[in-house]
Amino acid sequence: MERRIPRAGEIYRHFKGKKYRILYNATSTETGEDMVIFETVEGSHKVYASLLESFLAALDMGKYPHADQKRRFELCRDMREGPAAELRRQGTTTSLILKFLELEDNEERIRFLQRHQTELDGRFLTAASESLEFTETGDSLEERFAALMRFLKTKQKYEGRRLR
């Protein structure tokens, strides 16, 4: 296999947006195939098992043409949880907030959010929402992100019509 095997503690993003923490690498007792055991990062911390080959597989772009990534699971930028990762995330979050605040229009903001989705945390989403005078909805990061994107797309649509 050409891709690196996931390691315990690393965070991977599924192509649909949720993040998962690798718990273990395992071997199936029935088939002897390599497996990955992982859990959701947020919410109920539900645990899943996947064949390593499936976990590392390329995404069927014919079936998912609008996906933002080429693989089912991709390693997130902040690879491990812990104090050092938290410090890196805070530094990254601050710089992302400052870059977001400098953007001129909603189209740029939407592209920025899409490009940096895997790096965004609750602190960023709160700051971005407040800067736009948007009242956040949703409990999870994914729900908050989706609500902010809908807000920006709606603003872009209706502000664009006013200028014509």
Side-chain angles (χ1 to χ4, degrees):
M1 231 173 254
E2 64 203 49
R3 290 183 66 199
R4 183 174 70 70
I5 293 175
R7 296 184 191 132
E10 291 178 335
I11 307 296
Y12 278 74
R13 179 180 177 267
H14 187 262
F15 76 95
K16 291 184 179 177
K18 288 190 177 182
K19 292 182 183 179
Y20 298 89
R21 179 181 300 107
I22 304 301
L23 298 176
Y24 306 102
N25 292 316
T27 303
S28 170
T29 58
E30 295 180 16
T31 65
E33 293 176 284
D34 291 327
M35 300 188 76
V36 179
I37 312 300
F38 53 101
E39 70 176 344
T40 55
V41 172
E42 295 185 359
S44 63
H45 295 279
K46 190 170 181 178
V47 176
Y48 297 92
S50 175
L51 293 174
L52 177 63
E53 186 176 326
S54 297
F55 189 89
L56 298 176
L59 191 59
D60 180 352
M61 297 310 285
K63 190 173 180 181
Y64 302 102
H66 300 295
D68 292 336
Q69 58 192 57
K70 293 180 171 73
R71 302 268 180 191
R72 287 188 63 224
F73 290 90
E74 290 187 357
L75 184 63
C76 289
R77 177 176 228 141
D78 291 325
M79 299 188 327
R80 293 188 154 273
E81 291 296 287
E86 184 59 32
L87 287 174
R88 281 195 309 275
R89 202 170 13 259
Q90 286 179 5
T92 301
T93 299
T94 300
S95 66
L96 287 174
I97 291 168
L98 294 174
K99 288 176 187 173
F100 183 81
L101 293 174
E102 292 173 356
L103 298 174
E104 297 292 324
D105 62 37
N106 293 321
E107 185 177 343
E108 288 179 0
R109 291 179 186 113
I110 290 167
R111 282 196 310 267
F112 180 90
L113 292 173
Q114 290 170 333
R115 189 171 47 250
H116 296 285
Q117 182 176 359
T118 60
E119 303 166 68
L120 306 181
D121 60 11
R123 193 169 143 241
F124 174 90
L125 292 174
T126 298
S129 296
E130 288 176 358
S131 74
L132 298 167
E133 297 180 0
F134 169 66
T135 303
E136 287 187 282
T137 58
D139 295 324
S140 70
L141 284 178
E142 290 83 7
E143 292 169 338
R144 292 169 61 196
F145 177 83
L148 181 58
M149 289 295 288
R150 281 192 304 273
F151 173 76
L152 284 169
K153 288 177 181 179
T154 301
K155 277 187 72 164
Q156 179 185 24
K157 179 179 176 181
Y158 290 104
E159 286 177 356
R161 287 183 180 170
R162 274 194 308 197
L163 297 175
R164 291 182 186 159

